[in-house]
């Protein structure tokens, strides 16, 4: 039963991220093609990014997924927001822990905040975790976070603590190269 939930969760994430036309292709192409700074104006870039990350929540974990990343910049600074879905994996000799998560991050200048909801399982025990995050980031492309895991099942995995430190990259055509 849990394997079926995990499988259909992956299918739902894939459909949500890749199956819908969130931003019309013509508008996206026009915005990407007109990347230039105009004083007093903001330029917006929207793009789908590959999301990769790694971190510690007592033990090492990694994540991979997709994100809809928007960056606005102008003469007063930059702002970004990211909606994402990712798969998480915590390796172990005896019992790996897998997770499916969705989240939102927003940044202004260097400060970045976020919130994610994650379903974790080792196919014997499962848990839903809510993680508010705060950190530092550059354009929302490269981010370092501290998160606080709030378990809904009394923290059933001893290898996962409340404190989470992570580094995440949203890789796209304009990675760390906004005017």
């Amino acid at each position: 039963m849990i394997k079926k939930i995990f499988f259909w969760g992956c299918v739902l994430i894939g459909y949500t991220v890749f199956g819908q036309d969130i931003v019309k292709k013509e508008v996206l192409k026009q915005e990407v093609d007109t990347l230039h700074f105009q004083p007093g104006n903001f330029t917006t870039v929207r793009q789908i990014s590959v999301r990769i990350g790694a971190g510690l929540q007592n033990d090492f974990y990694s994540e991979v997924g997709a994100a809809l990343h928007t960056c606005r910049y102008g003469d007063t600074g930059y702002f970004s927001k990211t909606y994402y879905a990712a798969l998480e994996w915590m390796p172990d000799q005896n019992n790996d822990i897998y997770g499916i998560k969705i989240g939102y991050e927003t940044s202004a200048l260097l400060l970045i905040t976020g919130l994610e909801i994650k379903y974790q399982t080792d196919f014997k025990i499962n848990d839903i975790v809510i993680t508010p995050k705060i950190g530092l980031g550059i354009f929302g492309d490269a981010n370092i976070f501290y998160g606080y895991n709030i378990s809904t099942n009394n923290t059933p995995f001893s290898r996962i603590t409340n404190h989470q430190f992570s580094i995440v990259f949203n890789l796209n055509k304009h990675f760390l190269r906004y005017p």
Side-chain angles (χ1 to χ4, degrees):
M1 175 68 174
I2 294 175
K3 288 183 181 181
K4 286 183 182 180
I5 292 171
F6 187 77
F7 171 77
W8 286 110
C10 292
V11 170
L12 179 64
I13 288 172
Y15 175 74
T16 301
V17 173
F18 297 110
Q20 299 180 13
D21 190 15
I22 298 171
V23 179
K24 292 186 178 182
K25 292 178 183 176
E26 293 173 13
V27 173
L28 179 62
K29 183 178 181 338
Q30 180 183 7
E31 289 174 350
V32 170
D33 288 344
T34 59
L35 281 176
H36 59 279
F37 177 74
Q38 300 172 356
N41 294 325
F42 275 96
T43 301
T44 301
V45 177
R46 291 186 187 106
Q47 53 204 336
I48 293 180
S49 303
V50 174
R51 181 180 179 85
I52 60 170
L56 292 171
Q57 42 193 10
N58 198 23
D59 279 347
F60 167 81
Y61 77 92
S62 61
E63 71 177 76
V64 63
L68 177 61
H69 182 69
T70 303
C71 189
R72 295 186 73 212
Y73 56 92
D75 56 354
T76 59
Y78 82 92
F79 310 93
S80 74
K81 64 180 177 182
T82 304
Y83 297 96
Y84 65 89
L87 298 174
E88 188 176 282
W89 172 60
M90 182 178 285
D92 187 30
Q93 293 176 356
N94 302 324
N95 212 13
D96 293 353
I97 298 172
Y98 300 93
I100 300 172
K101 61 183 172 182
I102 59 171
Y104 174 76
E105 297 164 355
T106 184
S107 68
L109 303 177
L110 292 176
L111 182 64
I112 188 164
T113 60
L115 180 68
E116 70 184 26
I117 299 173
K118 171 174 40 178
Y119 171 77
Q120 295 177 321
T121 185
D122 64 358
F123 300 111
K124 295 176 188 162
I125 303 170
N126 56 32
D127 190 17
I128 295 176
V129 178
I130 300 166
T131 308
K133 304 184 296 184
I134 190 164
L136 299 173
I138 301 172
F139 304 126
D141 289 347
N143 310 304
I144 297 173
F145 288 107
Y146 165 76
Y148 188 80
N149 293 326
I150 303 167
S151 172
T152 61
N153 192 16
N154 241 358
T155 314
F157 302 110
S158 61
R159 295 177 30 228
I160 299 175
T161 62
N162 292 85
H163 305 283
Q164 176 189 88
F165 296 94
S166 61
I167 183 165
V168 177
F169 299 100
N170 292 308
L171 303 173
N172 53 60
K173 182 178 178 181
H174 301 286
F175 183 73
L176 299 178
R177 292 184 306 143
Y178 295 92

